[in-house]
Amino acid sequence: MNASTGSVFDETRFSADRLGSLGGATGSTDERLRVRTPITDEEIGTVASFQPDDVERAVERVRERQPAWEAMGIQTRAEIVDRFGDLVSNRRAQLLDLVQLETGKTRQHALEEVLDIVLTASYYGAAGPKLFGDERRRGAIPGASDAVVTYDPVGVVGVIAPWNYPLTLSMTDAIPALLAGNAVVCKPDERTPYTALAVASLLEEAGVPDGLVRVVTGDGSTVGPSLIDAVDYVAFTGGTETGRTVAERAGRNLIGCSLELGGKNPLLVLDDADVEVAARGAVKGAFTNAGQLCLAPERVYVHEDRYEAFLDAFVGETRALTLGCSFEYGPDVGSLIDGAHAERVGTSVDEARDSGASVLTGGRRRRDVGPFVYEPTIVTDVDADCPLASEETFGPVVSVSPVSSVDEAVDRANDSAYGLNASVWTGNVERGREIARQIDCGTVCINDPYTVGWAAVDAPMGGVGDSGLGRRHGPEGFDRFVESRTIATARYGPLEPPASLSNRTAARLLAVLTGVQRRIVRWRS
């Protein structure tokens, strides 16, 4: 794996004044949060360090502005959401710079974030009016009653976003929440606040009223609980253990929550797969964003008839990758987020090696490329009790194991507490779909590691088990942010038998009416 050179800093791109303009509102103290770039491990600026009272006031202020936003109507809100997507596309160069500066990812991987926001905004901008209208439902007694379901926004939605995809994951939940008529308060990770601040300013430029969206920056353990206590719904993306804490607090407050958490995602290479194609897909899946992707495959199971050929192709493709910290298109793999995470990834590989695993390529930290760069790493013969076998690594590390049958591959894929994403590689798509139904994951991709699932924004995405609760994308991703109301009408007064009937006769009449209604339901279905 070679290092790719390129310019790291360009003062016209990253002036102190430019970052300072994104610094956000001040909190109740003068304390500031220092932000560093993983590219050089240098400080790039400071942002406000919000305290609990600051968060509460921020929520109160956006709550005051929410009714006017709701009153603008779904069509107007949809037009603003669509316009926001256009602005993100038009400002992509600046956004790419900012995402790279905060995360250290390559420009190509940063581009995926920008394109994702454009796609999501376009989808909800077009689908919004269809998702929000009143719905007529079957009444208790046809002809004598009816029922209509109406929808209202929940109020204020809190979005808690992680550092690995700071643009996508600060906005992919905020977009449908805003479309539904809610106000939004976003808590970005303390390592990546500037991206959230920048994109929030684009929302206002698109037409979202001033003050309806607020970014609260600061330490997660301070800001997070205060935000959950103040909002009406929380959308969280992050680690599983933190997700449990979020769900517990939301439950105590009797508010809804959606949680997209970790994964130990399996990739299955069947006996009829094209190993060259599967190897390219495994490289893309495992090493995009230096493996810091919740959807990335970390466990590869290959049919024994394809095992050696796949390994040769996979190792060859991986060794050809270039490493680099550049703001130009070029390097294939960028940096990990910080030193602590680089140490965790390295320790995971070292423990596997010490327990008998073979490192076929990679396995080294590359300080010559960047302070937190780690080589894309392929490991075999991993002991089942080794943490690398079952715990999320969240880095450019993947294990490969042979299996003797499809049943064994499925069993091993399902032998995990996680269930976020999986992929199946086969020459027979129908066979792949049949196998996909047997895998305990919220999303299963055929002949692609994750992109076709994530980019299908009309389809729900989320996990099962320790990978989370709820779904984003599609109508399901919108429905999280509304409360339904049923308005039922009796056309001729209360639904009760005439007072002139005896109780016995009334009971017989109700039984007859129930039978008629059942036949009507069956006929209509």
Side-chain angles (χ1 to χ4, degrees):
M1 282 161 281
N2 300 317
S4 177
T5 60
S7 62
V8 175
F9 278 111
D10 179 342
E11 290 301 327
T12 62
R13 283 172 159 175
F14 306 118
S15 67
D17 288 344
R18 180 184 165 199
L19 289 176
S21 69
L22 297 174
T26 58
S28 58
T29 72
D30 293 332
E31 185 178 350
R32 303 287 288 179
L33 184 71
R34 299 180 182 277
V35 184
R36 305 179 72 85
T37 174
I39 296 173
T40 60
D41 197 24
E42 295 176 86
E43 183 178 314
I44 57 173
T46 66
V47 295
S49 182
F50 277 66
Q51 301 304 306
D53 288 347
D54 303 317
V55 175
E56 185 176 346
R57 281 193 293 272
V59 174
E60 288 175 354
R61 288 169 183 164
V62 302
R63 192 181 296 281
E64 291 170 357
R65 290 162 173 78
Q66 184 271 327
W69 172 244
E70 180 183 354
M72 292 174 72
I74 183 65
Q75 186 63 49
T76 299
R77 296 196 299 269
E79 291 170 359
I80 291 172
V81 163
D82 191 57
R83 192 179 308 131
F84 168 68
D86 290 338
L87 283 173
V88 170
S89 180
N90 294 338
R91 308 285 173 80
R92 67 178 175 274
Q94 298 94 321
L95 290 172
L96 290 175
D97 289 347
L98 199 50
V99 169
Q100 287 191 271
L101 182 68
E102 289 198 303
T103 66
K105 66 177 63 179
T106 68
R107 201 160 188 82
Q108 182 64 37
H109 296 157
L111 179 63
E112 292 183 4
E113 293 205 57
V114 172
L115 297 181
D116 175 71
I117 293 301
V118 174
L119 189 64
T120 301
S122 297
Y123 168 74
Y124 280 114
K130 302 173 186 175
L131 296 173
F132 202 67
D134 293 353
E135 295 182 37
R136 184 170 297 279
R137 303 288 183 90
R138 190 184 310 78
I141 298 179
S145 66
D146 61 33
V148 175
V149 179
T150 67
Y151 296 94
D152 297 317
V154 297
V156 179
V157 172
V159 175
I160 302 178
W163 51 261
N164 60 322
Y165 281 80
L167 178 58
T168 288
L169 297 176
S170 64
M171 285 295 111
T172 196
D173 292 322
I175 288 170
L178 288 167
L179 180 68
N182 299 285
V184 171
V185 179
C186 176
K187 161 61 179 80
D189 188 275
E190 48 266 38
R191 286 163 286 193
T192 55
Y194 286 120
T195 300
L197 289 163
V199 78
S201 71
L202 291 185
L203 282 169
E204 291 189 359
E205 188 174 340
V208 172
D210 180 32
L212 185 80
V213 176
R214 190 74 183 276
V215 176
V216 290
T217 54
D219 178 71
S221 61
T222 299
V223 176
S226 304
L227 182 62
I228 298 169
D229 288 346
V231 299
D232 305 303
Y233 188 97
V234 60
F236 172 82
T237 306
T240 297
E241 290 311 309
T242 305
R244 295 184 196 277
T245 303
V246 170
E248 181 180 1
R249 198 171 193 106
R252 288 203 303 269
N253 293 334
L254 294 178
I255 64 170
C257 69
S258 55
L259 312 169
E260 198 235 273
L261 308 177
K264 191 69 177 176
N265 305 304
L267 184 152
L268 284 60
V269 181
L270 306 189
D271 54 2
D272 62 349
D274 183 322
V275 294
E276 299 289 340
V277 173
R280 291 200 303 273
V283 166
K284 174 179 172 56
F287 305 132
T288 288
N289 196 26
Q292 299 166 123
L293 169 65
C294 58
L295 303 174
E298 294 194 3
R299 301 177 289 146
V300 178
Y301 301 111
V302 187
H303 191 278
E304 58 191 10
D305 291 346
R306 291 285 194 271
Y307 183 68
E308 294 298 334
F310 173 82
L311 266 186
D312 287 345
F314 189 25
V315 171
E317 293 276 353
T318 300
R319 287 177 176 167
L321 296 173
T322 57
L323 312 179
C325 296
S326 169
F327 289 94
E328 310 302 329
Y329 290 101
D332 298 309
V333 180
S335 177
L336 296 176
I337 189 65
D338 59 23
H341 190 51
E343 286 294 329
R344 283 194 294 272
V345 170
T347 297
S348 180
V349 174
D350 292 343
E351 289 178 349
R353 184 189 283 117
D354 292 343
S355 67
S358 299
V359 177
L360 302 188
T361 188
R364 295 183 302 161
R365 189 163 167 180
R366 292 291 299 274
R367 298 177 191 269
D368 58 311
V369 181
F372 313 131
V373 173
Y374 197 89
E375 290 182 332
T377 302
I378 299 173
V379 184
T380 59
D381 306 315
V382 178
D383 187 275
D385 295 328
C386 182
L388 191 144
S390 58
E391 297 177 10
E392 185 178 36
T393 307
F394 215 62
V397 180
V398 60
S399 66
V400 184
S401 304
V403 292
S404 60
S405 66
V406 170
D407 288 342
E408 182 185 355
V410 171
D411 288 344
R412 295 187 67 175
N414 290 338
D415 186 19
S416 173
Y418 297 103
L420 187 59
N421 182 65
S423 65
V424 177
W425 297 78
T426 174
N428 185 326
V429 171
E430 290 305 316
R431 183 189 187 201
R433 289 173 177 156
E434 180 182 345
I435 292 167
R437 295 175 183 273
Q438 304 172 41
I439 298 176
D440 299 332
C441 287
T443 302
V444 183
C445 300
I446 310 298
N447 294 334
D448 185 272
Y450 67 87
T451 309
V452 292
W454 176 267
V457 291
D458 191 35
M461 180 269 165
V464 298
D466 284 1
S467 289
L469 301 170
R471 296 291 183 267
R472 59 164 50 110
H473 290 169
E476 294 83 354
F478 178 87
D479 291 345
R480 294 176 291 169
F481 303 122
V482 295
E483 294 283 7
S484 62
R485 176 190 295 108
T486 297
I487 301 175
T489 303
R491 297 184 184 279
Y492 309 108
L495 290 183
E496 59 182 3
S500 59
L501 297 181
S502 67
N503 289 341
R504 182 183 296 276
T505 302
R508 290 174 179 170
L509 176 61
L510 288 174
V512 169
L513 290 174
T514 300
V516 169
Q517 185 176 12
R518 290 181 65 195
R519 285 192 289 273
I520 292 174
V521 169
R522 289 170 179 169
W523 174 73
R524 287 180 174 176
S525 62

